[in-house]
Amino acid sequence: MSARRLVSLVLAAASCAACSPIQSALDPQSPQAESLHELFWLFVVVCSVVWLAVMASLTLALLRNRSTASEATAAGSRTPALAVGAAVVATVLIVAGLTIASFLATRSLATDGGGLVIKLRGYQWWWEATYPAEGVVTANEIHLPVGRPVRMELSAADVIHSFWVPQLQGKLDLIPGRDNAVTITVTKEGVYRGQCAEFCGLQHAHMGLIVVAEPPAAFDAWARAQAAVAAAPTEPEAQAGAALFQAKACSSCHAIRGTAASAKVGPDLTHVASRRSIAADVLPATRGAFAAWIVDPQTIKPGANMPAIALEPAELRALSAYMTALK
Amino acid sequence: MNGTEGVRHPRGRDLPPEERERRLRRIWDPPRGILGALSVVDHKIIGRRYIATAFVFLALGGVLAALIRIQLATPEGRLLGPDVYNQVFTVHGANMMFLFAVPVMEAMGVYLVPLMIGTRNIAFPRLNAFSYWIYVAGGALLWIAFLLDFGPDVGWFGYVPLSGPQYGYGKRADIWAQMITFTELAALAVAVEIVVTVFKQRAPGMTLDRIPLFVWAMLVTSFLVIVAMPAIMIASSALILDRLVGTHFFNPAEGGDVLLFQHLFWFFGHPEVYIIFLPAVGMVSTMLSTFARRPVFGYLPLVMSLITIGVLSFGLWAHHMFTTGLPRVGESFFTASSMAIAVPAGVQIFCFIATLWLGRPVWRPPLLFVAAFVVTFTIGGLTGVMVASVPLDSQVHDTYFVVAHFHYVLVGGAVFPLMGAIYYWFPKMTGRMMSDRLGAWVAALVFVGFNLTFFPMHVLGLQGMPRRIYAYQPELPWGGLNLFVSLASIILFAGFLLFFVDVVRSAVRGAPAGDNPWNAPTLEWATTSPPPSYNFDGIPVVTSANPLWDDPETLPVATGLRVDRRELLVTSVQRAEPEARESSAGASIWPFLAAVATTVMLIGSIFSPWAVVWGSLPIAVALVGWFWPKGAPEDEA
Amino acid sequence: MEEQRLDRSGRVLAAALAGLALSACEREERVMRRDPPVVAALDEAALLPGGVGGAEPLAHVALGKPYETNAYEIAQGKRLYAAMNCAGCHGDGSGGVGPSLIDGWWAYGADLPSLYATIRDGRPRGMPPYRQKLPPDSIWQLAGYVQTLASYSAKTAAPGRDDAPQTRPAENRAPATQAPLEPPAR
């Protein structure tokens, strides 16, 4: 058993090192996640020792030499109280130790919010991120400045979702009718992945969230770019796409700031091509992926609220060119 | 040790044994024919049906588990779409918890408790029959709905708002809520019967400290059922009212609360785990004592730990809700109480190992399952300590770590002992032995297959794999372990398949068992295998905790019960002194009719509130028929 | 042996129940993707001159009338009612700038083809056309939902209340408050 446990943990470590962005609690990248990680290993060590002790006594009990058994039974009449008492005391001590460690870790996690506020709202099946002070509205990808505490204010538009980026912080639910908040301080630059962790319906499996931690200067530049309205496209094909966007059903649900499209049903697409992925981290933000998503969303993400729109091939090319131009 | 004296009634005391047996048979044997089969109130027949039905549901749930593993074996699996997958995992969970685990434990109690405490039938036998039919109806409702693409798809926990009127489209969530009503009704009925049976029908001399540990476990379990189940009935009824009548229990905009549902659900849901686990502890204690060839070590600490767990289990429901953002003080309380339950569980494991240490273990299949239980359940218990910690839980909650954890607790802690218990009591139930050789194979396959399947899931959870996802993208590093898990599960399925093969084979061709094949100490082995319809020729009188070891040749019996009508001996709660003779209800078709009427009303209410009004009329008729005074003492019982 | 016989009768009973329930099961089927030609065919409602009344598209009949009887499709319509801001004119259904949808009076017909045409093509005095804003299957979903707002007979497939403040009776109560003989005075 213990050998298998070791092997699987080594496996885990190996696969963690392999790829990025990943979402693994075994690869902490923020002080909060690191403290959880340390607590986790403390529990693993203590629990393994307890388990090995139980297994050792079980093995001994089964294999020991039976010639002495009769004496033990005779002596057994007065040992139960003593022995059970010892077992209780040992268990209480271990459990109390772990409880205290757990409380200490909880306390170390409590940090005051500072400066940056991000409102994260869960929808079936995507995330809307609003930066009130910076005037940024985006979806499925948030950027954070390294080293600065960020207060995430969580709310849900329809059903319960759960915000979880394992490398940064434990999870917290987004609950209709309630406000939750969590503070994160990321210490290392990088791209992290999170995923909705509370079952939320058909596409619960495809509700990813990308977190980009970058130096403050890069973050400020990003925020300025995101707060700007969309630039009018210059290529003729993209211009045709922009007209189609307004004329067809796209503008019934999506907003592109700087144009007439201002609906709030689907993600804000003002700078959609600046994101790493679309459809809640299901496809990369490439022109081909845009076209595939527009023409047949229900094959890629069955049950998603994006309907398929009948388009001529030329129209599809124009729309995907326009999407790619929304940097 | 006679009951009240009286000369006018035939007591059978003075009859020759053959004549007494003939008369007992005439009054206790179940009626014949289809109508007779529907009217049976014998706890053994109902218990056997209950157990067989529960194992059918286990097999069906296993098929769903296989579908899940095929779907997840590769990234972006295409076997099931999200819609079907959500139904599959919901029905798997609801089926295993509500239609297999709880009923099968109660069913073992229905079969064994009256035999272990030496009485002729369970208390309220007609309620028992009603309970079984209601349970079958609830199971059929869920499975027929599932086969018709109607199955609930909101998770076995059915959280609002996803299961609520706005997001739970159609009737699927109603099926879930109503299935709960059925199984809770069935479970509550059995719990009441067991409490009364244990308190009032124990064999003379079976004082509180001589009650077999399995019976203690069933007693504590029954109290848990009585206290916990109403919470979920309120939750599911409030949900169905929200959905069908337009009430606002869970609508935050109208003063309802989404989290209220979770509190109600887990106030039931956590004790539920112990409702499944405590009977297993009782089974393990019983089997250990038999196969270690000594009384179990620490009878009193074990009884105390059962009761302690029962009480504590109501104080830790919120550890299922640590990620909802509870107040800090509340979180601390529930962390401490969740950790505290490790203490009585530790005492149990300690007593089990001490029993083995002091005894002379005999390696028969039940003991193999007990050993598998200790190894596996301990891991589940220790990961339970990990998820009890708020900060750790915030990382592993709703991931495959938790999937691994609760399968270790439920399969390791309850299914392994249950399989051992089937090997152990199968001879009593059928009169035939199961195969030792196949039993060893089953134990090995299930143990190895289980650990290879579920241990890697801990790692998957830590690597960030959430629960209840129907697909995962190839970029995520979960493909290898998922494939390994799916392949390993083949071993587990093979083990269960072999188990069912052995059961069927042994039922047909097993070696005859004899009254007491294991040389076990408790009363159920004092009668024939399978027991006669009246259980015991004479009611045994108990003078120790292990009557068949201490009085192997001459178990004293109490006489004086009538042989011309169904009678039981009622004894006092604490010291089990005979108090009265009480008639026991005979076979009746009315419980079946009442169950059918209740089923029609409950299912109809999914489609129209008026079904509650019109549906109560047949129920009223059935209940009037059931309770109509017919003059016979068996009917008045 | 008795139990075997019992098993057999149990199976017969289960089969009978299954047969009964089969008639209801298409209510619960969830078709998330329809092929583009099917969607195009759904647009072919043969309306009478004047745009009120007419035959449903053959495609809808061939599919088993999902937009009238299927719980998922009707619930999607309810989602679209909010998403398309129908409430901007019709309020919670009890009317505002636009007419009430729950008083049982349908100025342009209560049948699905008429409702479909109303949403797709618009109507005089303010109802805008949604031809360009929604694909045909979405318009059908919306029409199916709107029909339940003031149904003359209750549907088991219709959705329940919203998780929102309640300002009017739930959908799917039936019959409509009263089936009026003349348009309500406004």
Side-chain angles (χ1 to χ4, degrees), chain A residues 12-97:
Chain A
S15 58
C16 284
C19 50
S20 157
I22 54 160
Q23 49 183 55
S24 175
L26 298 171
D27 179 29
Q29 298 291 338
S30 77
Q32 290 92 346
E34 249 159 46
S35 127
L36 294 179
H37 190 239
E38 281 164 19
L39 185 68
F40 170 72
W41 282 107
L42 172 72
F43 270 68
V44 168
V45 169
V46 173
C47 290
S48 303
V49 169
V50 171
W51 185 75
L52 288 173
V54 172
M55 288 309 106
S57 43
L58 176 68
T59 317
L60 277 178
L62 291 175
L63 300 182
R64 82 198 184 92
N65 186 353
R66 295 289 155 192
S67 58
T68 56
S70 49
E71 307 149 32
T73 320
S77 53
R78 64 180 162 73
T79 37
L82 210 66
V84 173
V88 168
V89 169
T91 323
V92 166
L93 284 180
I94 293 168
V95 163

Side-chain angles (χ1 to χ4, degrees), chain B residues 153-154 161-173 243, chain C residues 30:
Chain B
D153 59 351
V154 291
L162 192 62
S163 62
Q166 191 172 1
Y167 299 99
Y169 313 135
K171 296 291 177 197
R172 293 175 175 188
R243 292 178 53 87
Chain C
R30 296 188 184 180

